[in-house]
Amino acid sequence: MDRRDAPTIERRLGGALEPVIGQVFFSPEAHSAYAALGFADSARDADGVALPDGPAYFTSRGSLLGQVRGEVVASAFAVFNPAAVVPSVDFGWSVPDAPPVCDARDRGAIGQLERILGADPDGRDRVEKLLLKATDGLRVEGRPLASGITALPDPDHPLGTIFRRGDLLREFRGDSHTAAWIHAGFDAVQIGLLTELYWGLPLRSYTRTRAWSDDYFDLAEERLRSRGLIDAAGAFTDAGRDVREQVEVDTDSMMRPVVDALGDDVDELVSLLAPWGVAIRSAKGYLSSGPHDLASRAG
């Protein structure tokens, strides 16, 4: 069954967290903070949502790992062409080092949350308590971005713990998703192509935002056809749809420690986060529905 037909609690939690935490990538406050360090400011938008400068994006999110090589960042992010990531990170570390970039990221994320939601939005205390319940003692071995976040203190701001612990859960799910893809035997380009079909997008649309070329797409599509996962027209076969859904099922399985830690409170956390996400999207702090919105700008 497609995830959109019957979303699991693990997926609903991820969906509720996404605009509240993923807004860091579109925050004008973050973009300005990076520009003050020497990166380029946001130069493009998607329907009024400010899009990040490439080197600033790779370096700021990569700063969660510490000051590591671009190859490490590309590996952790899993779906981008290293040919784009590595020089971006090399440039990034020639501007400042990791701590001020990571600090700018925190300030930018929290700044946008406060601008849109206020410093003390409805449910703040309860959301903070539940995120602490979900993340205190969470095991992060094998999850590089999540483990990097656990080394960082919670920012000293009323929304600081919410951003830090929410970011931990977001990257914990992302790391788990990467592990599920690797276990299923897919490479970065195949991941993108199968996800496009899963989202109902044309092949080679969203994945172009990951800096892959037609040569890579040609090879990846041929490998997917040889496995019987897509047909000659570039559509899912039944086997392909089942394999793609299994990646989500396996990701859900790896999120069980979070759901088990929250217990009966998990639905409450989703309900509390949902109106925040609506407010953030309405204020153009996050894409209208999800990252696949960028497919319309790919090319």
Side-chain angles (χ1 to χ4, degrees):
M1 179 177 291
D2 190 285
R3 67 184 175 94
R4 291 166 294 187
D5 295 331
T8 62
I9 186 57
E10 294 86 359
R11 299 179 211 184
R12 290 196 292 117
L13 177 59
L17 275 169
E18 180 57 29
V20 178
I21 304 305
Q23 55 80 25
V24 62
F25 304 121
F26 310 103
S27 163
E29 289 87 346
H31 300 161
S32 295
Y34 303 146
L37 294 174
F39 293 94
D41 204 346
S42 173
R44 300 182 301 132
D45 73 273
D47 191 27
V49 178
L51 300 179
D53 167 67
Y57 166 76
F58 291 122
T59 308
S60 62
R61 189 178 175 208
S63 72
L64 298 174
L65 299 165
Q67 194 154 333
V68 299
R69 297 180 185 277
E71 289 85 354
V72 177
V73 175
S75 176
F77 289 11
V79 294
F80 290 88
N81 188 340
V85 179
V86 173
S88 293
V89 174
D90 287 346
F91 167 77
W93 296 145
S94 74
V95 179
D97 54 12
V101 177
C102 199
D103 178 66
R105 183 178 189 271
D106 286 346
R107 288 186 286 108
I110 293 168
Q112 173 157 257
L113 288 175
E114 183 171 3
R115 171 170 53 82
I116 296 173
L117 302 177
D120 190 20
D122 289 345
R124 182 190 67 82
D125 289 345
R126 183 61 175 162
V127 169
E128 178 178 306
K129 180 177 180 181
L130 292 178
L131 288 175
L132 287 168
K133 182 178 181 181
T135 56
D136 279 348
L138 184 64
R139 301 288 296 268
V140 295
E141 53 263 50
R143 295 175 172 88
L145 287 162
S147 66
I149 294 173
T150 63
L152 301 172
D154 293 352
D156 184 16
H157 185 279
L159 297 171
T161 294
I162 288 173
F163 176 67
R164 180 72 78 232
R165 301 309 180 96
D167 201 24
L168 172 55
L169 289 187
R170 182 183 185 277
E171 296 293 5
F172 186 93
R173 181 174 181 87
D175 288 336
S176 299
H177 202 46
T178 297
W181 279 112
I182 293 169
H183 175 70
F186 295 110
D187 62 29
V189 189
Q190 293 170 310
I191 290 171
L193 294 173
L194 291 177
T195 296
E196 286 170 338
L197 294 179
Y198 199 58
W199 285 343
L201 296 173
L203 285 179
R204 310 189 183 195
S205 54
Y206 175 68
T207 309
R208 287 194 187 277
T209 68
R210 275 46 186 148
W212 299 107
S213 68
D214 284 332
D215 288 341
Y216 283 105
F217 290 140
D218 290 343
L219 291 171
E221 286 185 33
E222 179 55 38
R223 290 194 295 272
L224 293 174
R225 281 192 292 270
S226 71
R227 289 180 63 173
L229 304 181
I230 64 173
D231 61 23
F236 267 137
T237 62
D238 289 343
R241 189 175 298 278
D242 289 344
V243 167
R244 178 62 182 85
E245 173 60 17
Q246 188 61 46
V247 170
E248 298 294 330
V249 171
D250 291 343
T251 303
D252 287 347
S253 177
M254 286 183 272
M255 292 300 297
R256 288 308 306 176
V258 172
V259 173
D260 289 345
L262 285 166
D264 294 338
D265 295 327
V266 63
D267 286 308
E268 181 187 3
L269 178 57
V270 171
S271 296
L272 288 169
L273 290 170
W276 293 7
V278 171
I280 291 166
R281 285 189 164 110
S282 296
K284 304 294 187 180
Y286 189 82
L287 299 162
S288 61
S289 59
H292 51 283
D293 293 346
L294 296 179
S296 63
R297 306 182 60 84

